[in-house]
Amino acid sequence: MDRVTWRTQVLFRHLHDPGMRRLLDAHNLQDRDWLFGLMMQSKLFCPRNVAGRVFVSPDYNQSMEQQREMTMKRIGYLLDRGVFRGWLTEKGPEAEMRKLAFMDVLAIFDHSIAVKLGWCNPVFGTKRHHDKWLRDTENYAIKGCFAMSELGHGSNVRGIETVTTYDTNSGEFVINTPCESAQKFWIGGAANRFAAFLSPLTSGRVTIAVSAVYSSKIGLAIAIRYSLTRRAFSVKPNGPEVLLLDYPSHQRRLLPLLAKTYAMSFAANYLKLIYVKRTPESNKTLHVVSSALKATLSWHNMRTLQECREACGGQGVKTENHVGHLKSEYDVQLTFEGDNNVLMQQVSKALLGEYMAAQKRNKPFKGFGLEHMNEACPVIPSQLTSSTLQNCQFQMDAFCLRERDLLNCFALEVSQYLKQGQSKEYAFILSYQLAEDLGKAFSERQILQTFIDAEATVPAGSLKDVLGKLRSMYALICMEEDAAFLRYGYLSTNNAAAVRKEVTKLCSELRPHALALVSSFGIPDAFLGPIAFDWIEAYSWSSTQK
Ligand SMILES: CCCCCCCCCCCCC/C=C/C(=O)SCCNC(=O)CCNC(=O)[C@H](O)C(C)(C)COP(=O)(O)OP(=O)(O)OC[C@H]1O[C@@H](n2cnc3c(N)ncnc32)[C@H](O)[C@@H]1OP(=O)(O)O
Ligand SMILES: Cc1cc2nc3c(=O)[nH]c(=O)nc-3n(C[C@H](O)[C@H](O)[C@H](O)COP(=O)(O)OP(=O)(O)OC[C@H]3O[C@@H](n4cnc5c(N)ncnc54)[C@H](O)[C@@H]3O)c2cc1C
């Protein structure tokens, strides 16, 4: 890599706008940096010096038992420094947001420690149980686990077969496993009458959704930094080789994913807020939104990591460059805490329920953000100019039109099956394609709304201008990628061509900001990999012999 590029990189590194980091991380920035520092200063987090730069990352070459042992030692180190103070015993949004911030940071270091901390100490029950168990659980004096899934049933919780009866004589619960398929399975850390019983699952879905976004950020920070120093092929004889991110094709592979990651970062912050401010009345909405975002953000993460891994070529496969390894670590998030496809059914099922209720009571739509359906149906202009395409009202109109039409079609199809004599459950199952389209439309409209809300908090200026480009990139790449826009006629083929052209234009407009945008992720250099920096130095013969 030529020195000029590298010097520019070093200069550029501090050009990221601290305001953008504040907007993305949104809360507890000082707590986050404190915890990053705690991890970077301890040998337990495997600091490694590569060409004068320190990286921290678990040693994934250790055996499972060794890795488990190291995870517990790291937890002990963090416990002694008060990281878990109040996690279970302090109530209220402030304490929960601090815990969520720490979970974000821990997940950036290692998926396993975050899962261990986030899930393996659930304490359900009433005040009596909490008074007795929470303090010792928070101090890791006792460890719990959550044994809901069974060999025969995971998604279908109604189907679990274990039977618990209370023996009044002995004052004990008798837990009976009536058959092989009832054996408890997948009990994390092992070694709950229905909605209320399931609502504790929501906290896990919130933390999975948020951690998935941070995982995407790690992948993109590494892949985009690498694409700003890696060169391949010249375009004229004896000319310099071209920087990867100067190839329009490479921009098209990474920059729409960058825009989506920004959008989903705002959505994740919104999800945390509605979670910490939950009430019994908001439980259902929280369940539906957390189901939609857990599925959408974890799917996005896997797609982003795959693209970033390929964008780094062979270097993306090396464990120390994280991207390939993150794919295997985070794949499970599409399944545990609720299979993504099953959770997306919860979304379409709830929207259908709201639709039927509004029709039955002949009242306006209320809830799940469906209030837009009480307004006049949006009209998409026949000619889409660049300024129209980048206009947020047009973008929201297009997303609302898609959601409104799909919900109407879905409800109609289900009612037709009911008229044919199908049961409600089977009518729902047969209408799965519209249900899936609707779940996607709901999720993407939610995400766009949180982007627009975050953008509105930023005063006019260069930061707001870049955010506007990112929001347009998010909205337009969603329109380009979702066949529903053409299939159901929300966009004409000419309009679709205009959308595709505008995405390419936005790639070239965002290209100059790429390094600043990934530097605003709030992830210290030590948590990235060598190829994000001076990789020739990192892999030079002299460095590798140390
Ligand atoms: C780096 C990592 C990040 C940090 C880590 C943090 C740690 C935390 C996460 C990590 C976890 C690691 C270990 C993994 C643990 C697990 O996997 S635990 C087990 C998870 N299992 C599930 O999630 C099971 C999925 N299935 C279900 O939840 C249910 O079966 C169902 C599909 C939702 C219900 O289906 P069904 O039987 O058809 O009933 P419905 O009619 O659809 O629902 C009944 C009503 O209940 C409402 N409801 C359902 N769930 C909830 C909920 N969670 N909260 C609130 N309300 C809920 C639903 O909306 C229905 O309401 P009405 O329509 O109004 O009746
Ligand atoms: C690493 C790990 C840790 C875990 N930790 C825990 C834990 O601590 N506690 C706990 O209780 N559980 C835990 N689980 C279990 C986890 O919650 C279940 O794996 C998850 O809920 C999915 O259930 P399942 O594996 O039975 O898959 P299934 O429900 O059998 O799903 C298999 C496939 O069927 C599809 N499918 C299911 N239902 C439908 C439907 N109605 N319509 C269409 N398609 C459908 C799904 O989309 C999926 O593709 C863990 C799992 C793993 C992998």
Side-chain angles (χ1 to χ4, degrees):
M1 163 177 47
D2 59 67
R3 286 292 160 200
V4 171
T5 313
W6 179 243
R7 256 200 304 280
T8 316
Q9 293 304 336
V10 173
L11 177 73
F12 232 62
R13 180 173 46 202
H14 299 294
L15 282 189
H16 81 270
D17 186 316
M20 189 68 102
R21 191 229 166 163
R22 254 194 313 279
L23 197 65
L24 280 171
D25 279 342
H27 63 94
N28 297 90
L29 270 62
Q30 282 189 325
D31 291 323
R32 294 165 188 266
D33 292 342
W34 171 71
L35 181 52
F36 278 129
L38 268 190
M39 293 195 281
M40 286 192 267
Q41 65 194 255
S42 163
K43 291 195 179 329
L44 288 172
F45 292 82
C46 306
R48 280 184 327 111
N49 191 311
V50 178
R53 181 180 289 275
V54 175
F55 294 99
V56 287
S57 166
D59 177 358
Y60 292 113
N61 297 313
Q62 287 180 322
S63 69
M64 180 174 70
E65 290 318 317
Q66 286 171 319
Q67 292 195 50
R68 280 181 172 163
E69 188 190 341
M70 280 309 292
T71 298
M72 289 314 292
K73 282 182 181 166
R74 289 171 187 138
I75 289 173
Y77 167 82
L78 298 171
L79 176 68
D80 294 346
R81 284 152 186 80
V83 172
F84 311 133
R85 179 182 48 76
W87 276 31
L88 295 176
T89 53
E90 276 180 35
K91 298 293 172 222
E94 198 180 316
E96 288 198 303
M97 287 304 267
R98 188 176 68 241
K99 175 185 176 184
L100 288 168
F102 283 160
M103 289 300 291
D104 295 347
V105 171
L106 290 165
I108 287 170
F109 171 73
D110 177 33
H111 184 259
S112 297
I113 195 171
V115 167
K116 185 87 185 146
L117 286 166
W119 189 244
C120 297
N121 280 317
V123 178
F124 303 129
T126 62
K127 184 177 181 317
R128 176 169 63 86
H129 304 93
H130 292 171
D131 290 348
K132 182 171 181 191
W133 299 109
L134 283 186
R135 178 72 58 197
D136 281 349
T137 307
E138 182 175 284
N139 295 331
Y140 253 76
I142 49 171
K143 297 170 190 63
C145 57
F146 180 66
M148 181 160 83
S149 301
E150 295 177 351
L151 174 62
H153 294 90
S155 293
N156 179 11
V157 178
R158 282 187 203 280
I160 55 182
E161 298 165 282
T162 297
V163 177
T164 305
T165 41
Y166 183 67
D167 179 341
T168 47
N169 298 326
S170 65
E172 289 174 340
F173 283 102
V174 178
I175 296 177
N176 176 37
T177 304
C179 55
E180 278 303 333
S181 61
Q183 63 176 290
K184 286 300 174 184
F185 223 79
W186 299 116
I187 312 171
N192 233 305
R193 64 216 170 279
F194 186 65
F197 165 63
L198 290 175
S199 57
L201 292 170
T202 301
S203 68
R205 292 169 186 160
V206 171
T207 33
I208 284 177
V210 178
S211 67
V213 173
Y214 277 101
S215 169
S216 301
K217 288 175 179 175
I218 294 171
L220 284 164
I222 291 169
I224 286 178
R225 281 176 171 275
Y226 186 55
S227 73
L228 287 167
T229 56
R230 181 76 174 177
R231 294 173 177 275
F233 299 103
S234 308
V235 288
K236 47 183 185 267
N238 306 318
E241 290 188 87
V242 178
L243 274 180
L244 292 184
L245 204 57
D246 285 337
Y247 282 103
S249 60
H250 214 73
Q251 292 171 16
R252 179 62 95 124
R253 286 169 65 183
L254 294 179
L255 299 185
L257 292 173
L258 178 63
K260 282 187 167 186
T261 299
Y262 261 76
M264 292 180 194
S265 198
F266 298 131
N269 292 334
Y270 165 73
L271 179 59
K272 285 194 263 190
L273 272 182
I274 63 171
Y275 173 70
V276 300
K277 293 179 178 171
R278 65 194 178 279
T279 61
E281 297 68 36
S282 69
N283 231 357
K284 175 70 183 268
T285 301
L286 178 60
H287 164 55
V288 174
V289 174
S290 60
S291 296
L293 293 182
K294 183 265 184 187
T296 304
L297 276 51
S298 59
W299 269 326
H300 167 72
N301 180 36
M302 293 311 290
R303 180 180 167 205
T304 301
L305 290 175
Q306 182 58 44
E307 192 60 66
C308 289
R309 205 294 296 146
E310 293 178 56
C312 295
Q315 292 293 358
V317 178
K318 280 169 76 82
T319 302
E320 67 178 356
N321 289 320
H322 293 303
V323 188
H325 183 81
L326 282 174
K327 273 177 42 186
S328 56
E329 282 285 296
Y330 277 79
D331 175 39
V332 69
Q333 290 198 340
L334 280 57
T335 296
F336 70 16
E337 269 321 82
D339 166 84
N340 281 2
N341 290 282
V342 170
L343 291 182
M344 288 306 278
Q345 289 174 1
Q346 284 292 293
V347 177
S348 46
K349 198 185 270 189
L351 296 180
L352 181 63
E354 174 52 29
Y355 184 95
M356 299 297 195
Q359 301 281 331
K360 193 171 169 189
R361 59 179 190 240
N362 193 23
K363 289 272 184 0
F365 285 98
K366 184 169 60 63
F368 304 124
L370 291 179
E371 287 79 357
H372 67 82
M373 294 184 67
N374 302 325
E375 310 300 325
C377 189
V379 175
I380 303 299
S382 54
Q383 290 303 319
L384 292 179
T385 62
S386 178
S387 61
T388 306
L389 286 165
Q390 294 206 23
N391 173 281
C392 73
Q393 188 55 54
F394 155 75
Q395 294 157 7
M396 187 49 85
D397 281 351
F399 278 47
C400 288
L401 173 64
R402 170 180 57 167
E403 185 180 22
R404 166 200 291 254
D405 186 59
L406 286 171
L407 180 50
N408 285 326
C409 294
F410 178 51
L412 179 63
E413 186 169 290
V414 168
S415 65
Q416 285 165 344
Y417 281 124
L418 292 174
K419 283 186 189 123
Q420 291 170 16
Q422 300 292 358
S423 69
K424 200 174 104 184
E425 289 72 17
Y426 203 61
F428 179 79
I429 287 172
L430 290 172
S431 306
Y432 72 94
Q433 286 177 314
L434 281 167
E436 287 169 3
D437 290 347
L438 174 61
K440 183 185 187 70
F442 170 84
S443 309
E444 292 183 348
R445 191 258 307 155
Q446 284 272 350
I447 293 166
L448 178 61
Q449 187 58 61
T450 59
F451 202 141
I452 292 172
D453 294 345
E455 200 180 335
T457 66
V458 177
S462 56
L463 187 62
K464 197 179 186 78
D465 295 344
V466 173
L467 278 170
K469 298 281 178 205
L470 286 166
R471 184 246 311 140
S472 292
M473 174 70 96
Y474 168 73
L476 297 177
I477 197 67
C478 286
M479 287 184 217
E480 180 180 343
E481 291 177 347
D482 185 2
F485 280 96
L486 271 176
R487 182 187 300 131
Y488 302 108
Y490 311 139
L491 291 178
S492 67
T493 45
N494 285 342
N495 286 0
V499 166
R500 186 169 172 78
K501 199 163 154 238
E502 195 68 15
V503 167
T504 302
K505 178 167 169 279
L506 282 165
C507 281
S508 61
E509 290 173 356
L510 285 170
R511 160 68 180 83
H513 304 283
L515 180 62
L517 289 170
V518 297
S519 302
S520 301
F521 283 158
I523 299 171
D525 294 353
F527 291 77
L528 301 178
I531 58 170
F533 306 101
D534 188 344
W535 41 273
I536 289 187
E537 180 57 32
Y539 295 132
S540 67
W541 178 253
S542 54
S543 297
T544 51
Q545 296 315 298
K546 280 175 192 149

